[in-house]
Amino acid sequence: MSQNIYDNAAFFDGYAQLPRSQFGLDGAPEWASIEAMLPDLTGKSVVDLGCGYGWFCRAATDKGAAKVLGIDLSQKMLDKAHAMTSDARITYQRGDLEHLALGDAQFDLVYSSLALHYLPDLNPIFATVFQALKPGGQLVFSIESQRPIFDLRGGSGDGSPMPMANVRGRGVGVRVGGRACQTGWLGA
């Protein structure tokens, strides 16, 4: 199983003091930009990878999602999400994003905020997401930007890694499962 620092009591207690833990999506500085990228969720099936306290899961149902699955590695996060959620359209599940299976064409939206950068290799999760998306479905995600993304190649065309800080406002061609995918960046 992947590293799970969030189930460490001291770390979890510290995390609980962050604005995003106390105020939800309104406490997350990136939320306005991410929210602007979201499709209409009315009647849609959504999965939140690295759901934490379940803030986005609840927001998705508030925006009309028919069903939402929140997945997190941390049992402490899932316990908090369960305690804060009373909507039968939301299901929480413990899962390791490094070894995740979601099935074929299950979701209209795959969402992940500040979780994918913990993975040592993004190719497997992107392949899983691509398989799990219904035709026309979307992946909306954010990651911490100080870590270079070695799976997205660009810039000079020589295959060298392109740090996230250098791709703001630029598109990067990504191929998943042999098909080109459109990319967009916060603030672009």
Side-chain angles (χ1 to χ4, degrees):
M1 186 168 277
S2 295
Q3 176 187 357
N4 179 9
I5 193 164
Y6 291 93
D7 279 345
N8 172 288
F11 187 89
F12 187 80
D13 290 345
Y15 181 83
Q17 302 308 309
L18 295 174
R20 70 179 61 246
S21 298
Q22 296 180 0
F23 307 111
L25 298 175
D26 291 333
E30 71 279 4
W31 174 242
S33 295
I34 291 173
E35 186 177 29
M37 288 190 248
L38 295 174
D40 177 15
L41 297 180
T42 305
K44 304 295 184 181
S45 294
V46 176
V47 63
D48 180 355
L49 305 178
C51 67
Y53 286 13
W55 295 107
F56 179 75
C57 295
R58 293 185 297 279
T61 57
D62 288 347
K63 294 177 178 295
K67 71 174 187 170
V68 180
L69 172 61
I71 299 173
D72 206 286
L73 181 61
S74 167
Q75 189 60 53
K76 285 186 177 291
M77 290 287 194
L78 293 171
D79 291 345
K80 185 77 170 176
H82 279 288
M84 298 173 74
T85 303
S86 60
D87 192 324
R89 296 173 293 172
I90 301 173
T91 304
Y92 294 110
Q93 170 184 313
R94 189 164 190 210
D96 184 346
L97 300 184
E98 198 170 352
H99 307 287
L100 188 65
L102 292 172
D104 295 339
Q106 299 292 311
F107 300 100
D108 299 292
L109 174 68
V110 175
Y111 173 87
S112 184
S113 182
L114 303 178
L116 299 182
H117 56 270
Y118 289 109
L119 300 175
D121 182 4
L122 293 175
N123 289 317
I125 192 68
F126 284 157
T128 297
V129 165
F130 183 77
Q131 182 179 8
L133 285 170
K134 294 178 181 179
Q138 293 181 315
L139 164 63
V140 175
F141 71 99
S142 66
I143 59 172
E144 290 185 5
S145 63
Q146 67 266 30
R147 180 174 171 182
I149 301 176
F150 293 98
D151 297 289
L152 302 180
R153 307 290 178 172
S156 65
D158 66 357
S160 60
M162 178 182 269
M164 191 68 167
N166 294 339
V167 297
R168 286 193 184 277
R170 298 171 58 183
V172 176
V174 179
R175 298 192 69 78
V176 179
R179 292 178 37 194
C181 300
Q182 179 64 35
T183 62
W185 306 103
L186 295 178

